[in-house]
Amino acid sequence: MEWIYELKQIKVLARKWWKAAGGCRIFAFHGGMGAGKTTLIHALCEEKGVKEPVTSPTFSLVNEYRYRQNGEEKTIFHIDLYRVKDEEEAIRAGIEDCLLSGAVCFVEWPGKAPHIFPEETVHVLMEQIDDKTRRIKIQFPDVIL
């Protein structure tokens, strides 16, 4: 699946995203600096009803957000592996525990620890076309839509 969107359309994209995602819960965001990973994750969290500020977890590695779904409190883990050296460091930091928790996980810079991701991970390839426009390609497990 591929979408090209302008930043002013990001809320509409977030709604479409959750409809297309089905039961998927682990999303690995690939893309260079400025590709819009954190901005898109912010919109996705907002669409789920997260009330607390959504910020980049570059220094903390993991931010935890809460939202309600069907009267039940749910968790989203926002993970940033930019400062992680390798998979061993990611595991020691508890990243694997987040991925296996059953919570929604958004992971920036997954290439730093590629082998810790379960098979059901959805890979999101992001590219900045210009100052306002982004392209994302979403690779669902075993299929590129």
Side-chain angles (χ1 to χ4, degrees):
M1 177 178 294
E2 181 176 328
W3 285 317
I4 295 176
Y5 67 97
E6 290 189 9
L7 296 177
K8 65 183 177 184
Q9 301 167 307
I10 201 162
K11 289 184 181 203
V12 172
L13 175 68
R15 269 190 297 271
K16 289 180 180 180
W17 173 289
W18 288 118
K19 287 178 184 170
C24 298
R25 60 173 195 77
I26 300 174
F27 302 92
F29 289 80
H30 305 264
M33 291 282 191
K37 296 179 295 291
T38 301
T39 302
L40 178 55
I41 290 168
H42 182 278
L44 294 168
C45 288
E46 192 174 84
E47 182 64 24
K48 278 289 192 188
V50 170
K51 301 294 184 213
E52 60 259 52
V54 176
T55 59
S56 178
T58 301
F59 294 100
S60 62
L61 295 183
V62 179
N63 287 347
E64 189 173 331
Y65 312 120
R66 303 271 184 221
Y67 68 99
R68 297 198 71 73
Q69 183 175 322
N70 300 325
E72 187 179 332
E73 188 171 83
K74 303 275 187 167
T75 300
I76 293 175
F77 290 112
H78 181 187
I79 302 163
D80 188 332
L81 299 179
Y82 184 75
R83 297 198 179 280
V84 170
K85 286 184 240 159
D86 54 28
E87 290 170 349
E88 185 179 320
E89 185 178 346
I91 291 167
R92 281 195 320 267
I95 304 305
E96 202 172 39
D97 294 336
C98 294
L99 298 174
L100 299 174
S101 70
V104 170
C105 295
F106 296 130
V107 185
E108 298 185 45
W109 302 99
K112 295 288 198 136
H115 296 92
I116 67 170
F117 291 89
E119 231 175 71
E120 67 269 17
T121 300
V122 175
H123 292 273
V124 181
L125 311 168
M126 298 189 69
E127 175 187 1
Q128 179 178 1
I129 294 173
D130 60 35
D131 288 346
K132 298 177 189 173
T133 312
R134 304 295 187 267
R135 173 183 297 133
I136 61 172
K137 293 181 183 176
I138 302 173
Q139 298 177 342
F140 290 95
D142 300 322
V143 179
I144 299 176
L145 301 175

